[in-house]
Amino acid sequence: MSNSKIRSRKPVSIVTGGAGFLGSHLVDLLLERGHQVVAMDNLVTGNVENIAHHAGNPNFRFIQQDVTEYLFLDGPVDYVWHFASPASPVDYAKLPIQTLKVGSLGTHKTLGLARLKGAKFLLASTSEVYGDPLVHPQSEDYWGNVNPIGPRGCYDEAKRFAEALTMAYHRTHRLQTRIVRIFNTYGPRMRLNDGRVAPSFLEQALRGEALTVYGDGSQTRSFCYVSDLVEGVYRLMMGGDPYPVNIGNPEEMTILQFARKIIELTGSESPVVFRDLPVDDPKKRRPDIARARKLLQWEPVVGLEEGLRKTVEWFRERLGRRPG
Ligand code: UDP
């Protein structure tokens, strides 16, 4: 596909997982930047409410489809963004086979589509490829410490396979490919019962229930606001190179500190309770984003308090609509 061809019409983007948390924010950004967007989702963890505001937009189409099945699309495609997958440890523990299939077969189908259409391909990979990391912070040249047969193996290994397949298509078929390793991200549209720490703590704090901190809460994470994340992803597709790039916020904190921050920002009187630490829960996680800074001139601009305030607002509104 030549640039002049794209210039004479709108670029066409396919977003798998387009009704999910990250996928739907990416759809918003692409429409804003003048793309025609086809969102695909089988709605296992996605929700049409996340894209309902685009109904009637002639530049937007939704196809309910499982991307592990054969993909058929008429017309040109310029960019394929493969975001379909359960992404919460609670979800992928419930859906281990679907998680393995979408990371393997789904990546194969979407790479095949990109190859057929001569499109550029971007894989949404994850900090989970580093497993319970022995190197801190994690830079892209670290190969990881993953338990293939543990409860997180279905997600971690599916994404590692997906990265390997993406590089094979790049090397064998000269496909233009990108791999983003996404670290913990939060923001509006996370499912209330998603099970990840931000929606869990927010729902608990807003309902006045105890915040369930797993283990002693000394494990760390680094939380990136969703608008920063999708900006980094967009820059990677448009610029960048085929090798993995970490996108995340390097501001690290313990889970107990995170719980206290949420209690403070919501003005909640909820206590904190401690629960068993899930098997293979990574002890530390923080992205080294030197590569993203240099390659993409990208770094997060939304601080934790600002991002959490916007997220709290959204959760408050959602919870107000549902009985407690
Ligand atoms: N966590 C917690 N309470 C919860 C949910 C999660 O303490 O109700 C912890 C979890 O054990 C992990 C961290 O929060 O250490 C982040 O968990 P999440 O499920 O968001 O994703 P992960 O980073 O583990 O993939």
Side-chain angles (χ1 to χ4, degrees):
M1 141 201 74
S2 70
N3 277 339
S4 59
K5 259 201 215 152
I6 295 193
R7 258 181 248 122
S8 61
R9 57 168 173 77
K10 282 178 180 282
V12 179
S13 275
I14 310 297
V15 181
T16 75
F21 165 50
L22 294 183
S24 67
H25 282 281
L26 179 63
V27 166
D28 292 353
L29 182 100
L30 292 171
L31 287 168
E32 255 170 53
R33 297 198 178 162
H35 288 227
Q36 266 190 342
V37 180
V38 179
M40 284 186 181
D41 207 300
N42 65 359
L43 303 179
V44 167
T45 58
N47 185 344
V48 281
E49 249 189 57
N50 292 336
I51 45 173
H53 53 291
H54 298 306
N57 181 340
N59 293 316
F60 177 72
R61 186 149 69 104
F62 172 63
I63 302 177
Q64 185 169 349
Q65 147 124 41
D66 183 333
V67 296
T68 66
E69 309 283 346
Y70 185 79
L71 303 177
F72 177 78
L73 269 177
D74 253 342
V77 175
D78 304 303
Y79 302 100
V80 176
W81 314 72
H82 183 32
F83 275 69
S85 178
S88 148
V90 172
D91 286 340
Y92 55 71
K94 277 192 217 139
L95 304 164
I97 297 171
Q98 286 95 325
T99 303
L100 280 154
K101 282 177 71 181
V102 74
S104 55
L105 306 179
T107 304
H108 187 218
K109 292 286 184 292
T110 47
L111 279 163
L113 178 71
R115 184 176 172 221
L116 175 76
K117 301 286 187 181
K120 236 167 145 177
F121 177 89
L122 183 142
L123 172 69
S125 186
T126 168
S127 54
E128 282 283 323
V129 300
Y130 302 122
D132 187 3
L134 304 176
V135 163
H136 193 73
Q138 294 78 54
S139 54
E140 293 85 350
D141 54 6
Y142 176 50
W143 292 351
N145 177 38
V146 169
N147 174 4
I149 59 164
R152 303 173 85 103
C154 58
Y155 185 64
D156 303 10
E157 296 296 5
K159 292 292 191 183
R160 289 170 68 97
F161 175 88
E163 289 197 6
L165 193 61
T166 302
M167 289 310 296
Y169 266 68
H170 170 67
R171 293 189 177 116
T172 308
H173 298 308
R174 303 192 184 287
L175 199 68
Q176 289 200 64
T177 57
R178 302 285 183 264
I179 297 173
V180 57
R181 290 186 179 152
I182 298 171
F183 283 65
N184 293 68
T185 304
Y186 68 98
R189 300 189 196 153
M190 290 189 98
R191 255 179 31 240
L192 291 174
N193 59 349
D194 163 297
R196 279 180 284 191
V197 69
S200 300
F201 284 178
L202 284 166
E203 179 167 9
Q204 290 160 347
L206 292 172
R207 287 194 194 282
E209 294 164 5
L211 274 66
T212 52
V213 169
Y214 298 160
D216 62 4
S218 63
Q219 70 273 31
T220 69
R221 294 293 187 273
S222 313
F223 296 96
C224 185
Y225 188 64
V226 64
S227 58
D228 281 334
L229 192 285
V230 293
E231 178 63 37
V233 165
Y234 182 84
R235 287 193 197 185
L236 176 59
M237 179 69 111
M238 299 305 156
D241 68 28
Y243 297 100
V245 179
N246 290 338
I247 297 285
N249 191 317
E251 196 185 326
E252 182 182 3
M253 64 179 56
T254 69
I255 291 301
L256 188 57
Q257 285 171 333
F258 189 60
R260 300 222 187 283
K261 179 57 77 190
I262 286 186
I263 289 172
E264 177 198 319
L265 287 180
T266 52
S268 171
E269 291 181 2
S270 290
V272 165
V273 291
F274 294 91
R275 298 277 180 262
D276 288 347
L277 190 66
V279 175
D280 295 336
D281 198 285
K283 286 180 272 306
K284 281 175 157 216
R285 186 183 286 154
R286 168 157 60 102
D288 178 331
I289 60 164
R291 197 167 128 70
R293 280 198 172 104
K294 185 155 183 257
L295 188 69
L296 312 173
Q297 288 75 54
W298 175 89
E299 62 182 3
V301 296
V302 181
L304 187 69
E305 290 215 356
E306 184 189 349
L308 278 178
R309 278 184 210 286
K310 294 183 191 181
T311 313
V312 167
E313 210 175 292
W314 189 85
F315 272 79
R316 249 190 232 287
E317 203 251 319
R318 286 292 125 142
L319 285 169
R321 281 205 232 154
R322 288 193 344 175

